[in-house]
Amino acid sequence: MKLHFLFDFKEGPWGGGNQFLKALRNYFREKGIYSENAEEAEAILINGHQYGKNNLYFLKLWKLLRSRPDIVVLHRVDGPISIVRGNGSGIDKLIYFVKAMIAHGTIFQSRWSRNQNLLLGMQENKISTIITNAPDPNIFCSKEKQSAGAKTRIISTSWSPNPRKGFNIYKYLDRHLNWDRYEMTFIGNSPGTFSRIKHIPPVKSSELASLLHQHDIFLTASQNDPCSNSLIEALHCGLPSIALNSGGHPEIIKNAGELFEDEKDVLNAIDKVAADIEGYRRKIDPQNIADIGNAYYNFAKEVASVRNNKNRSGQFSLSLLLRLFVNSFVHTHLPG
């Protein structure tokens, strides 16, 4: 079985989903199970609500399913968008509509994401699974740490400048962190400026990995993040992590760091991890891209073998295609 991703890949610094799917595509290419052409694939992966420029992937899927009704459509879902961003309920509705009418199997990135989507009204497919993410191992990998300096080095990253990405906590740390004991770097886009935290604009993945290796602890305060790629990249680089007790963070960190609730206990969490960095580092055990890639591939094969006798592709008519375009426009352009 060969797979193809209907996804607009971006080069350079970009969001976590883009970075993960590039790593997964590279793995499939190495294994000889990725098809560069959708027409030659047995399984097609669509991602969340990202259906190509002007949503033309709908048209491509319609043509494929009419000529090849045996093709398996996998839907990778995160969110809910309205909870992650604070708006976008219309986008969530579009995702649920596409999932119900087109997808033969659904991949959630965390138990938290699955449960929240179901609470918001998503109908569960008969075939679904939970598979987390992993980074490119040629870039994000654990290396022998440099000798610790006089101060413990903390790092945070975020592609998105959305305030929900934890900037209230970063601002708090900017004012209250013990700067005699710690130094802190933020890499990415920020909605504001910092006084003491060093801010570096977004960098390409290889540079980001190098900067992660120059630090001791990773910290993320993002709210309702279903499966933080930044957190996963840091753990793969060997950094014990501290995270807001929200979204999928607990599922990712496990025992390799500490969780905090808000400003009242974030400093204690930092002190606790800083006091035993090596102990927490030994507990880091994230899944690698081979584990994740095999899980995706095996799920695609499972979906292909247990699809309902009712041919879902028959529902993907021209009238449905038009409804998808209308729904997509309305839900994307009107307030959530």
Side-chain angles (χ1 to χ4, degrees), residues 64-302:
L64 282 171
L65 288 168
R66 281 178 63 86
S67 62
R68 297 264 314 281
D70 59 315
I71 289 180
V72 170
V73 178
L74 305 178
H75 194 189
R76 178 178 178 265
V77 174
D78 63 0
I81 301 298
S82 56
I83 295 179
V84 174
R85 297 182 183 175
N87 58 65
S89 60
I91 298 177
D92 285 328
K93 292 174 184 176
L94 174 63
I95 291 171
Y96 301 167
F97 181 73
V98 171
K99 176 182 179 297
M101 300 304 295
I102 301 174
H104 302 116
T106 305
I107 299 166
F108 297 98
Q109 297 170 50
S110 64
R111 291 189 301 275
W112 179 88
S113 179
R114 174 186 176 277
N115 293 339
Q116 291 298 317
N117 277 297
L118 293 177
L119 285 173
L120 282 185
M122 174 185 277
Q123 295 182 359
E124 187 169 13
N125 278 49
K126 291 185 177 180
I127 309 174
S128 66
T129 189
I130 298 170
I131 308 175
T132 189
N133 301 332
D136 186 334
N138 297 312
I139 299 175
F140 297 98
C141 55
S142 184
K143 295 182 179 180
E144 185 174 346
K145 286 294 176 184
Q146 301 175 3
S147 300
K151 298 181 180 181
T152 299
R153 301 159 296 185
I154 302 169
I155 186 170
S156 298
T157 66
S158 175
W159 164 254
S160 171
N162 188 315
R164 289 174 175 254
K165 286 296 183 178
F167 292 100
N168 61 320
I169 294 295
Y170 304 147
K171 280 289 189 179
Y172 176 81
L173 293 176
D174 198 40
R175 297 190 302 270
H176 298 285
L177 192 63
N178 182 348
W179 294 102
D180 292 329
R181 182 178 179 187
Y182 300 103
E183 59 184 53
M184 183 170 176
T185 301
F186 174 83
I187 301 175
N189 294 304
S190 170
T193 59
F194 301 110
S195 297
R196 304 293 298 270
I197 295 174
K198 181 180 180 181
H199 181 194
I200 299 175
V203 296
K204 60 184 181 180
S205 293
S206 58
E207 294 178 28
L208 175 58
S210 177
L211 288 166
L212 287 169
H213 287 133
Q214 295 171 28
H215 289 77
D216 306 301
I217 297 172
F218 181 81
L219 187 148
T220 178
S222 60
Q223 302 173 34
N224 299 323
D225 202 329
C227 188
S228 170
N229 223 54
S230 297
L231 175 57
I232 291 172
E233 289 169 349
L235 288 168
H236 276 265
C237 286
L239 270 67
S241 298
I242 299 163
L244 183 70
N245 188 11
S246 176
H249 293 337
E251 300 173 49
I252 298 171
I253 287 184
K254 299 177 182 177
N255 296 316
E258 292 291 330
L259 302 173
F260 65 92
E261 301 296 333
D262 52 31
E263 297 174 354
K264 297 177 182 177
D265 61 342
V266 63
L267 295 176
N268 288 335
I270 291 172
D271 289 342
K272 186 173 181 179
V273 174
D276 189 20
I277 291 176
E278 289 303 321
Y280 283 102
R281 184 175 290 139
R282 286 193 292 271
K283 297 176 182 178
I284 297 174
D285 187 27
Q287 290 184 296
N288 59 40
I289 196 65
D291 297 328
I292 302 304
N294 290 336
Y296 266 79
Y297 185 73
N298 290 334
F299 181 64
K301 291 177 66 177
E302 176 190 353

